Amino acid sequence: MSELSHQLQLTEEPSGPDLGLGARGHWRQRHRLLSSLTRGQGLAGVGMIGVIVLVGLLAPLLTPWHPVQQIPGSHLVPPGGDHLFGTDQLSRDIASRVFYGIRASLLVAVVAVPAGTLLGVLVGVVATWHPLSDLLTQRVFDLVLAFPALILGILLSVVAGPGMLTVIVVIVIAETPIVGRLVRSQVLRVRELSYVDTAQVMGAGGGWVLRRHVLPNVLEPIGVHVALAFSGAIFAESAMSFLGLGVRPPAPSLGGVIADSLLYLEVRPWFALAPLTVVVALSVGFYLIAQALGKASRG
Amino acid sequence: MVESTAPLLRIKDLAITFDPSGPRSDRAHAVAGLDLEIDPGEIVALVGESGSGKSLTARAVLGLLPEGARAEGSVVLGGTEVVGSDERTLNKLRGGIAAMVFQEPQTALNPVQTIGRQLVDAVRLRPGFSSATARARAIELLRAVEIPEPERRLVWYPHQLSGGQKQRVVIALALSGSPRLIIADEPTTALDVTVQAEILALLRRLRDETGTAILIITHNMGVVADLADRVVVLRDGGVVEHAEVETLFRSPTAEYTQHLLAAVPRLDVPPADLADASSAADARAPGGEEVALLDLDRVSVQYPARGRRAAFRALDGVSLRLTAGEVLGLVGESGSGKTTLGRVALGATAPSEGSVRLLGHDPRSLDRSELRALRRGIALVPQDPAASLDPRWTIQDCVAEPLVVHRAADVAGVRRRVAELLDAVHLPAAVARRRPAELSGGQRQRVALARALALSPRLVVADEPTSALDVSVQARVLELFNELRAEFGFAALFISHDLAVINEIAHRVAVLHAGQVVETGPTGTVFGDPAGDYTRRLVAAVPIPDPAIQRRSAVSSSTR
């Protein structure tokens, strides 16, 4: 190995030969996770999500129709011509409803996932503070995780009524214990590492160790999880809107369009095609990203 | 047909390459152009430092290369070509012609099966054994490796055995197929030195009694001197030197071998003149009054009982004093309480009995901020430099950490100080921008040293700082340690399981056994003329890297 060779030869020569090489591998190494998104699976995921996000953002430019606008004489028109994906049972343009529905789905995910993650990190760190706080948070997590998220959603919408906020709250509640557990176990793991011990012995306080050593090392697994959580959030939002617990009609949502199409599945199968494709593509896209990140972080 | 004069193993022009797209593509040519022959009944040592390809070569003999590695050339084992053979041919060779003994007995045995079951299973892999005769054979094997009361031990689980006994069982497993060659990959590296001596004696006896040839892979020149007939020195995947053991140690021809032998710390040579402890003390304590930097008085540390686990006394009535400028070596085998004592000296573990004074203060009487201030004066050089540096940080940040934690300097001051420290440990300034993974093990340990010295501590606790390093790297780090001590004037508690390392670095030594200090005194006296029985055994067990001396002492100790 080169280590030995220059350890033996060097009579205090100022720069070892291997030191020049380090700089090249830098970007790859420092941003191992991000660089995994520039190829293969990761790139495919980013591409899918990118296209859908663009469509959502540019919705007003892509379709002349307003999502709740009823177009006289266009009852359940098949795809083609004026209506890219046809029209629904209330003579509204499906393409427009799907494109605007993307906005609702993404909005929910973009608000709920970071909020849930942040809360999870906070609670996870608090859990490691003291055995008592650990016991308390762990039992609360058990309780929340015992309910399937959907049951929780139904419960909540009974109390608070359906709506986008309800969906966000449900996702945050379901997300927090998952991230919390993840953070807790990672903090406990990192705390035992030699460099944390060394820092404590040198007189560093708990805050320093947490901020400078523990959290940066916890971020990687969380990053992987967040991508997965986006996939789950898209799915959860669609499912709740489908059940009428989420975005309230006539406001457009992917789940809502799928629900509308259900009655016509046999006679107008094209009705469900566009919203289903988008939901699946969003979920799969985020899932691919999560996979790529996970593989990269495992090395 | 195999003639009786044909070598048991003939390796010719062996090359091992890693798949360039695979995970270890950095080592495209791990082994190249390697030749080696082993005759029946011979003990050959394969010596080299990490990355020399010694383990790969050994694995190639049994066709056990890791994924992505490919062997070329020729390996003829007992008349059969191994390279390119299918699994069926290889399985006939494995165990029957050659068997492997691995480094870590802990993981080589299945923890959920009794050792009897594992031995019987191994025996029955060969044809011609009924379950009754296999059991008899298992007992016979355990007896061959000198396990007492083999009939009763058959129903024991691995965790009931000590580390040395486990390694004996692993050797018994290797013997189960009556192989003509045993390949032992660092068989004693994970063991304490007294246990190592026993295992080496066992291997030698097995060869003498059964005529089994042994290929031993090791980095330890003492082990080589103790056991080997012939030595093959590897470096960067090629043979550097190949000689009879006496010749190699007496007059090594290759420059690399000379370096390697010179780098091995020795216990039988009086330590080189260390900077005098008292003169360094004078420089540090102008008052003239000698204050102990570390003063332990009948310190005990007890870990409380947990569930069914009984309370464990890690330290038992230890009294030690360490004065300014002095290096106190702390030796002991695993479980002797070395690390606990180190943590007490760092103020990280509080004693359950007795009194501790660090730099003249009792850490228990200090409040938080006073304790922090006390910590400025004590630094730790940890065992594994790779694990003790945060992989995400640059070297600059790693070295600066103590300065920043204690707000000892402003940004420019920190930068300047880090540059000074890196210079003091002979690392180029450019290293500051790198990350730990980009440095070699020796360079990382230099970084750890620089970090420890950042606040100019008066006391440094070094916990096995060189045990993870290759011997030539270790020699340079020890040299640097001495140099830094002269320059910075710190006192040190130097913990090591390696008596020879302590011999080179410490003024005084304390021998720890089962939580008690059994002997303490000047290094030369303790190692040269040990007073206690335990110390005498410990010193005698250390293999001396000189076959002439080592064989003589091995004979005298076995006849004793």
Side-chain angles (χ1 to χ4, degrees):
Chain A
M1 209 187 208
S2 69
E3 141 148 1
L4 176 62
S5 43
H6 74 256
Q7 286 283 359
L8 269 181
Q9 294 156 4
L10 70 80
T11 34
E12 313 313 354
E13 78 196 78
S15 70
D18 67 337
L19 295 171
L21 298 170
R24 244 188 292 154
H26 241 178
W27 185 83
R28 271 281 138 96
Q29 208 193 344
R30 281 166 83 172
H31 306 287
R32 214 157 27 103
L33 288 194
L34 291 184
S35 81
S36 73
L37 297 183
T38 59
R39 57 179 183 266
Q41 250 184 350
L43 187 62
V46 169
M48 286 165 78
I49 301 299
V51 167
I52 295 172
V53 167
L54 266 182
V55 168
L57 289 177
L58 303 179
L61 305 178
L62 294 176
T63 152
W65 315 107
H66 194 270
V68 293
Q69 178 188 359
Q70 291 182 307
I71 305 143
S74 308
H75 182 72
L76 289 171
V77 174
D82 279 352
H83 304 289
L84 188 59
F85 300 130
T87 58
D88 67 4
Q89 79 284 10
L90 296 174
S91 313
R92 296 173 299 194
D93 180 50
I94 294 177
S96 163
R97 288 188 69 73
V98 168
F99 294 168
Y100 281 90
I102 291 171
R103 291 178 156 196
S105 281
L106 287 175
L107 183 67
V108 166
V110 162
V111 173
V113 172
T117 306
L118 219 62
L119 198 62
V121 171
L122 211 68
V123 180
V125 168
V126 167
T128 61
W129 214 262
H130 191 274
L132 207 65
S133 64
D134 194 26
L135 189 78
L136 203 72
T137 50
Q138 290 308 301
R139 294 300 79 82
V140 172
F141 285 173
D142 283 343
L143 200 73
V144 176
L145 287 173
F147 287 101
L150 215 54
I151 304 283
L152 213 70
I154 294 170
L155 216 71
L156 204 72
S157 59
V158 167
V159 179
M164 207 182 262
L165 194 66
T166 308
V167 178
I168 290 174
V169 170
V170 167
I171 292 172
V172 168
I173 291 177
E175 176 72 3
T176 302
I178 299 172
V179 176
R181 286 252 159 105
L182 191 70
V183 169
R184 172 181 173 272
S185 67
Q186 290 290 329
V187 170
L188 292 180
R189 178 183 69 84
V190 175
R191 261 205 322 216
E192 295 303 314
L193 293 179
S194 174
Y195 55 79
V196 171
D197 192 47
T198 311
Q200 278 163 343
V201 163
M202 101 190 22
W208 170 274
V209 169
L210 188 70
R211 262 196 339 273
R212 304 298 305 272
H213 287 296
V214 176
L215 283 182
N217 280 295
V218 168
L219 283 182
E220 198 165 283
I222 292 180
V224 176
H225 173 78
V226 162
L228 204 61
F230 266 101
S231 169
I234 297 289
F235 209 75
E237 190 278 328
S238 303
M240 286 187 66
S241 298
F242 175 82
L243 293 174
L245 306 171
V247 175
R248 263 185 279 191
S253 71
L254 293 171
V257 182
I258 296 172
D260 290 342
S261 72
L262 206 60
L263 281 175
Y264 306 92
L265 206 54
E266 279 178 28
V267 282
R268 307 274 194 274
W270 42 262
F271 193 162
L273 195 66
L276 274 177
T277 310
V278 172
V279 169
V280 170
L282 274 175
S283 282
V284 170
F286 281 120
Y287 180 77
L288 285 176
I289 292 176
Q291 284 285 306
L293 292 177
K295 258 188 217 157
S297 88
R298 283 191 299 273
Chain B
M1 278 281 58
V2 189
E3 300 166 51
S4 61
T5 54
L8 181 57
L9 171 70
R10 177 187 282 154
I11 299 177
K12 201 140 185 59
D13 206 19
L14 176 70
I16 300 173
T17 48
F18 279 97
D19 179 3
S21 63
R24 293 178 69 186
S25 53
D26 52 317
R27 299 182 51 204
H29 292 279
V31 172
L34 188 134
D35 296 326
L36 175 70
E37 285 187 4
I38 300 180
D39 289 325
E42 203 180 19
I43 301 183
V44 176
L46 210 51
V47 188
E49 301 195 279
S50 45
S52 61
K54 53 189 194 300
S55 284
L56 280 174
T57 305
R59 299 186 76 95
V61 172
L62 287 176
L64 291 170
L65 286 176
E67 210 169 317
R70 218 156 50 85
E72 282 165 82
S74 156
V75 175
V76 179
L77 176 61
T80 312
E81 175 63 52
V82 172
V83 174
S85 291
D86 57 11
E87 283 293 305
R88 263 190 46 213
T89 322
L90 289 173
N91 276 335
K92 269 187 216 140
L93 295 175
R94 293 172 188 158
I97 304 293
M100 192 111 182
V101 173
F102 291 99
Q103 172 172 355
E104 186 60 73
Q106 200 70 39
T107 49
L109 295 173
N110 185 343
V112 298
Q113 284 183 359
T114 62
I115 57 171
R117 168 86 190 279
Q118 295 178 54
L119 278 166
V120 167
D121 283 352
V123 168
R124 295 200 68 182
L125 285 177
R126 308 287 137 199
F129 279 102
S130 70
S131 57
T133 54
R135 186 170 180 279
R137 172 83 175 130
I139 293 169
E140 190 185 311
L141 286 169
L142 285 181
R143 194 167 286 132
V145 295
E146 296 161 1
I147 297 262
E149 302 179 87
E151 294 85 353
R152 281 186 47 212
R153 294 290 190 279
L154 280 183
V155 295
W156 281 29
Y157 287 90
H159 70 87
Q160 292 170 291
L161 302 168
S162 70
Q165 283 176 321
K166 266 182 259 190
Q167 192 62 298
R168 285 168 190 273
V169 172
V170 172
I171 294 172
L173 279 170
L175 291 174
S176 65
S178 310
R180 294 160 62 195
L181 173 67
I182 289 180
I183 301 170
D185 189 355
E186 303 269 9
T188 59
T189 303
L191 304 175
D192 278 326
V193 57
T194 49
V195 182
Q196 162 172 292
E198 291 166 17
I199 296 289
L200 293 178
L202 170 68
L203 287 174
R204 199 179 315 109
R205 198 179 57 76
L206 285 174
R207 191 274 302 262
D208 293 345
E209 288 176 6
T210 64
T212 311
I214 297 173
L215 175 62
I216 182 166
I217 293 118
T218 183
H219 67 279
N220 187 332
M221 280 298 181
V223 170
V224 174
D226 185 278
L227 198 63
D229 301 323
R230 267 192 309 127
V231 187
V232 176
V233 183
L234 287 189
R235 179 191 187 184
D236 295 338
V239 175
V240 178
E241 187 160 3
H242 184 169
E244 299 292 317
V245 68
E246 282 86 4
T247 321
L248 184 98
F249 280 91
R250 201 174 49 238
S251 49
T253 52
E255 198 191 346
Y256 174 76
T257 317
Q258 290 164 4
H259 274 298
L260 205 58
L261 286 172
V264 177
R266 295 184 64 149
L267 190 56
D268 58 333
V269 177
D273 46 0
L274 296 166
D276 191 15
S278 55
S279 71
D282 289 345
R284 296 291 301 177
E289 185 195 357
E290 195 186 40
V291 178
L293 295 179
L294 171 67
D295 193 352
L296 307 183
D297 186 24
R298 294 188 299 275
V299 166
S300 296
V301 172
Q302 180 139 354
Y303 293 112
R306 257 192 166 177
R308 241 178 266 170
R309 200 139 44 100
F312 175 65
R313 217 172 171 76
L315 286 181
D316 191 6
V318 170
S319 299
L320 276 182
R321 254 175 85 86
L322 180 59
T323 50
E326 186 185 32
V327 178
L328 175 64
L330 193 61
V331 295
E333 301 192 284
S334 48
S336 62
K338 298 190 298 284
T339 298
T340 305
L341 186 49
R343 294 192 68 84
V344 170
L346 287 163
T349 296
S352 18
E353 286 161 43
S355 82
V356 176
R357 292 188 81 79
L358 300 175
L359 313 182
H361 301 279
D362 181 351
R364 275 178 298 185
S365 71
L366 302 178
D367 65 29
R368 242 190 148 107
S369 64
E370 286 170 326
L371 198 61
R372 256 173 70 93
L374 180 70
R375 291 234 153 101
R376 283 187 70 148
I378 308 173
L380 166 71
V381 181
Q383 172 165 11
D384 182 356
S388 77
L389 302 172
D390 193 324
R392 278 157 210 286
W393 288 26
T394 60
I395 299 304
Q396 163 81 31
D397 292 338
C398 288
V399 176
E401 188 176 13
L403 298 166
V404 179
V405 162
H406 287 281
R407 298 191 188 86
D410 57 13
V411 176
V414 166
R415 206 163 272 282
R416 216 170 28 244
R417 180 75 179 144
V418 170
E420 276 170 29
L421 288 162
L422 289 178
D423 186 51
V425 297
H426 305 305
L427 283 174
V431 161
R433 293 192 306 273
R434 310 250 176 268
R435 271 159 224 281
E438 299 168 51
L439 304 188
S440 69
Q443 288 171 328
R444 280 195 286 250
Q445 196 54 288
R446 282 162 194 261
V447 171
L449 270 170
R451 174 177 59 182
L453 298 177
L455 293 164
S456 306
R458 294 165 65 197
L459 173 62
V460 169
V461 176
D463 188 357
E464 302 260 15
T466 60
S467 66
L469 304 177
D470 274 327
V471 57
S472 62
V473 183
Q474 162 174 292
R476 301 198 66 87
V477 170
L478 291 179
E479 196 180 295
L480 175 68
F481 188 84
N482 268 334
E483 192 185 313
L484 292 171
R485 207 174 54 75
E487 188 182 334
F488 289 76
F490 54 83
L493 181 66
F494 199 102
I495 302 170
S496 180
H497 68 284
D498 189 337
L499 275 63
V501 166
I502 295 290
N503 191 43
E504 290 213 335
I505 202 118
H507 300 107
R508 282 197 307 132
V509 62
V511 182
L512 213 56
H513 178 54
Q516 293 180 320
V517 173
V518 292
E519 188 160 353
T520 171
T523 310
T525 317
V526 172
F527 290 159
D529 182 20
D533 193 40
Y534 174 73
T535 316
R536 208 169 308 132
R537 269 197 294 135
L538 199 62
V539 170
V542 176
I544 305 297
D546 182 335
I549 301 173
Q550 179 58 24
R551 305 273 156 117
R552 211 180 314 136
S553 72
V555 169
S556 68
S557 67
S558 63
T559 52
R560 211 184 306 155

